[in-house]
Structures are given as structure tokens and as C-alpha cells.
Amino acid sequence: MAHLLMVESWVGSMSRLLPRAIQEAGHTFTFLTRDLHHYLRTAPEGAAHPLLGARDVVTADTNDPESLVPYVERLHEVLGFDGVLTSCDYYLPTAALLAERLGLPAPDPEAVRNACRKDATRRVLEKAGVPGPRFAVHEDRAELGAAARDIGFPLVVKPVDLCAGMFVRRVDDDGQLAAAVRALGDFPVNARGQRRAPAVLLEELLDGPEVSVETVSHAGAVRVAGVTDKSIGGAPAFIETGHMFPAALSGAETEDVVRTAVDALTALGLTDGVVAHTEIKLTSAGPRVVEVNPRPAGNRITELVRRVTGVDLVAAFVDVSLGRAPDLRRTDTGLRSAAVGFLVPEATGTLAALDGSGLRGAPDVLEAELAEPGRQVRAAGSNNEYLGHVMVGDTEGAGARVRVEDLLASLRSGLVIR
């Protein structure tokens, strides 16, 4: 039995999946957070938050690595940790740094920092010759305007240090660019109280569908669990509206995106102790890397993989965080594809009605989670405003995506926001 230190977590599904994987493997964990109430606010009514299943819950300033490192070193002397991990993007570099300082299994902290900063990722991949969009990074608005005209409209504006699609926008002219940059400037601190970098990333708008490659890196080798497709909506934002695993690609397309993802991970140095989610556009000019996330995929993608292949990427994350070889053996689950779709609100107000009764008893529905009437809703601008999700499986082939889109259309017909 091992003892892991978990440094913060997301409050969504991973806050349930990761504690479950740790406990099912026979391990325990200590939960380290700067604000326990951040998690208690999201606990299901009448139930304790899964993170409170920790052996110990410790409060410290996780936003200050300089004071956190010596504190955790003293904590390690008393509690004895075998690994350090987090599911939250904002604390991935901190977890890697702590593991390294404690002499525990860890990916290279600099590699993790580079992957968590979109501008650093772009520079590393460009130097290594891994294909991506044309890009520029600036703080000054005049320099941003000149760079935008050099790249050419339309283009994509991104913060360098946020996630879940926050403030990522398509812009078609100088006016839209100025508005997007102002919106970013009005958000100087992220949801975890960390001050943001003022740099803005501009990227060429890539054509083609988007997929993600789910991988596990251990002992210098990158192993591929599969490729997931992605549906995008909410223009000019880029909101993930659904995913299917495996992606409906040809053999040659799969080989191309897998090779590109492995090249990106290798260039960044993410070849040990990492479960990664690498997003790639299948453009008319070939695969182009969108971003590299050095943690398990969110938005229920790990569950899609598990439902189809039997491979538990969250359990693999626990294994590699302990320096152990992950079990990536596939089993026949009976499903040939699985898809998840998200209900994205297009209006702001109060949720008055959302009827999910048609989902009950449907044999292909694997999961359904919908918001209750009375909830305050705002028109979605990122992946943080979903009103729920539906997951389905297909035993015959790649029909799961079409099926989940049909179910979402039915749900939208009964959706009332006032």
C-alpha cells in the first residue's frame, strides 16, 4: 500500500475518479489544499466530497512554492509519501517540483512547466520541428496588432496560462482583437487566486477536425491508449460539446496524429511519469498540435476509453506517479465506441425546465447527469458552464456520436431558461 500526496484537484469528475482509483488500488492519500471550502461547495447534496476520503487533509498555501516546499518536506518526514500528484492544471508544475524535491518519482518539472504554458509549448515545439500553427506572443497591444496583421485574420486569441477554453476566441479583425485582449486584461487572477501572466498568444486559425491522443509515459517510453474525436461549438469561443472514442479515422490518419503527439511529448521531455492528453487538428496540410496537457483528459474522456478498452487511464496516472509500470492491457468490453455529449447553455437566466425522462431505461445510455431546475445559468463562454452530460455506447461500431447528438437535440427541445 502506497501513500500519495494530492496537491489540489479539479472539482468536476476527476475529483471523484482520482480518489476512487487511489483507493481501488489499495493506496491512501493526503489531500493538500489552500482552501478546503472550494471543494465543500461542490459536494453533492447530502454527501461528503470524495476528497474527504483522504487519510489526512492539510491546509497550506499551495500558491507559494517557495514556502510550500520546506513545509511539505517537513510533512514528508512525519507522514511519509510515496508519490505526488494533482489533477488540476494550475498545480501540475508544483506537484512535479515537490516530487523532485522529495526524491520521489516525477516528470521533469521544467517539462511540465513548459507544457502548462501555451507560449512555452509553442516555442519548444517550433524549435523541435513539430508542426503547429503560426503564432506570436506579446503583451503590448500595438505589437499584438502588428503580429495579427502579419499572421493574418482570422486568428485565435489565447491566454497563455488558463484552461477549459477560457477566453480562447476567434477574431476576424482589429476591433474583435482589441475586445478579446481587453477581456483578458480584466481577468488578472485565475480561479485559484494565482496572478496571471499578461502575455497574449495569437495563433493562425487551423482548419479541419480536432482529435486528442491519450498517452501514458513511463521509463522513457510513450504508450498510446487511443485517439478521441472532439465536437466544437459556441463560436467565437471554442467550447467542447462532445467526444467519441475511438475517433472515426482512417489507419493512415491515426498513424499521423499518433506520431505527431509522440513527437510533441518527446520534444517537451514528457516521457516519464505522465498521463497526457494532446490535442491535434487534422488540417489540409497535415496534423498540427493545438496543445499538450500533461495530465489525464477531462470531460469524461478517460471514462470513454475505459468503457471501450477496459484501460483505466486514471489508475495508470496513479501508477506512474508512484514510478510503477501501468497496466494498459485491453479487454473486450463489448463496446466498439462510446461518446459523451454536453448540454451547453446559449442564454443567461434561471433554468426553468430540463426533462431527462427520455434517457431513463435507454439500453445504450451509460451515464446521464443533468442540472436541476432553479439553477442560475449563464450563456457558455468556455467548458465551465455545462448543464450536464449524456454518455452512450455502441456495440456495433462508430455510431455512438450520432446517437448522443440525437439525445442532446431532444434535451434541448425541452430546455427552458428564463
Side-chain angles (χ1 to χ4, degrees), residues 30 69 74 109 143 151 191 209 316 349-350 357 362 371 384 398:
T30 286
V69 169
R74 294 192 297 271
E143 291 179 321
I151 296 171
T350 302
S357 60
N384 293 326

Side-chain angles (χ1 to χ4, degrees), residues 93 139 143 227 273 297 314 364 375 408:
E139 296 181 20
E143 291 179 321
V227 181
V314 185
D364 55 352
R375 171 173 160 177
L408 284 176

Side-chain angles (χ1 to χ4, degrees), residues 7 57 87 112 126 140 288 311 328 369:
V7 184
V57 176
S87 66
V112 174
E126 181 181 52
D140 181 78
R288 297 290 184 269
V311 174
L328 301 180
E369 185 177 308

Side-chain angles (χ1 to χ4, degrees), residues 134 136 141-153 155 173-175 177 202:
R134 296 176 63 206
R141 293 193 182 187
E143 291 179 321
L144 284 167
R149 289 184 286 277
D150 179 58
I151 296 171
F153 292 106
L155 49 76
D173 54 41
D174 286 318
L177 172 61
L202 303 182

Side-chain angles (χ1 to χ4, degrees), residues 29-360:
F29 69 99
T30 286
F31 184 53
L32 176 64
T33 178
R34 66 187 291 267
D35 180 13
L36 185 58
H37 292 286
H38 182 82
Y39 303 93
L40 297 180
R41 288 194 299 269
T42 64
E45 186 175 350
H49 196 285
L51 291 170
L52 296 184
R55 192 175 96 178
D56 301 286
V57 176
V58 182
T59 302
D61 189 354
T62 52
N63 286 351
D64 181 15
E66 187 174 337
S67 64
L68 186 64
V69 169
Y71 176 79
V72 170
E73 287 174 337
R74 294 192 297 271
L75 204 61
H76 180 49
E77 292 174 0
V78 177
L79 299 178
F81 303 119
D82 301 294
V84 183
L85 77 179
T86 182
S87 66
C88 182
D89 297 55
Y90 300 138
Y91 296 97
L92 289 165
T94 300
L97 173 64
L98 290 172
E100 182 187 58
R101 292 293 182 88
L102 298 181
L104 299 175
D108 176 50
E110 182 180 5
V112 174
R113 283 194 299 272
N114 285 338
C116 290
R117 281 279 302 232
K118 294 179 175 65
D119 52 341
T121 299
R122 284 278 166 252
R123 293 185 180 108
V124 171
L125 297 189
E126 181 181 52
K127 184 177 180 180
V130 179
R134 296 176 63 206
F135 72 96
V137 185
H138 296 289
E139 296 181 20
D140 181 78
R141 293 193 182 187
E143 291 179 321
L144 284 167
R149 289 184 286 277
D150 179 58
I151 296 171
F153 292 106
L155 49 76
V156 181
V157 176
K158 292 182 178 181
V160 299
D161 53 2
L162 290 176
C163 50
M166 292 184 68
F167 294 97
V168 178
R169 295 292 184 271
R170 169 181 169 146
V171 296
D172 295 304
D173 54 41
D174 286 318
Q176 292 179 7
L177 172 61
V181 172
R182 280 196 303 272
L184 266 176
D186 291 338
F187 194 75
V189 178
N190 70 23
R192 298 307 181 95
Q194 299 169 334
R195 183 156 292 278
R196 293 192 47 255
V200 177
L201 175 63
L202 303 182
E203 292 181 355
E204 167 192 8
L205 179 67
L206 298 172
D207 63 352
E210 187 170 330
V211 298
S212 61
V213 182
E214 323 307 335
T215 56
V216 181
S217 299
H218 174 69
V222 179
R223 298 174 62 186
V224 177
V227 181
T228 312
D229 78 7
K230 179 186 297 187
S231 303
I232 300 289
F238 295 83
I239 300 173
E240 297 179 0
T241 60
H243 304 276
M244 184 175 76
F245 183 89
L249 302 178
S250 69
E253 288 172 327
T254 299
E255 288 180 10
D256 284 347
V257 297
V258 164
R259 181 176 60 253
T260 301
V262 173
D263 286 347
L265 292 165
T266 302
L268 285 162
L270 296 171
T271 58
D272 193 22
V274 176
V275 175
H277 169 72
T278 303
E279 297 173 343
I280 294 174
K281 277 272 194 177
L282 282 162
T283 78
S284 55
R288 297 290 184 269
V289 175
V290 176
E291 62 184 45
V292 179
N293 300 282
R295 42 81 179 159
N299 271 357
R300 309 301 289 172
I301 290 174
T302 58
E303 286 301 281
L304 298 181
V305 175
R306 185 182 65 83
R307 293 277 191 175
V308 175
T309 69
V311 174
D312 189 337
L313 290 172
V314 185
F317 181 41
V318 174
D319 285 335
V320 298
S321 298
L322 292 168
R324 301 177 181 181
D327 183 0
L328 301 180
R329 292 173 295 178
R330 292 177 172 239
T331 58
D332 185 358
T333 66
L335 293 182
R336 296 297 170 260
S337 67
V340 63
F342 301 98
L343 193 59
V344 180
E346 298 177 354
T348 297
T350 302
L351 180 60
L354 177 55
D355 183 10
S357 60
L359 303 176
R360 299 191 191 103

Side-chain angles (χ1 to χ4, degrees), residues 366-383:
L366 306 174
E367 294 180 7
E369 185 177 308
L370 302 175
E372 295 291 335
R375 171 173 160 177
Q376 295 302 303
V377 176
R378 63 179 179 179
S382 70
N383 299 337

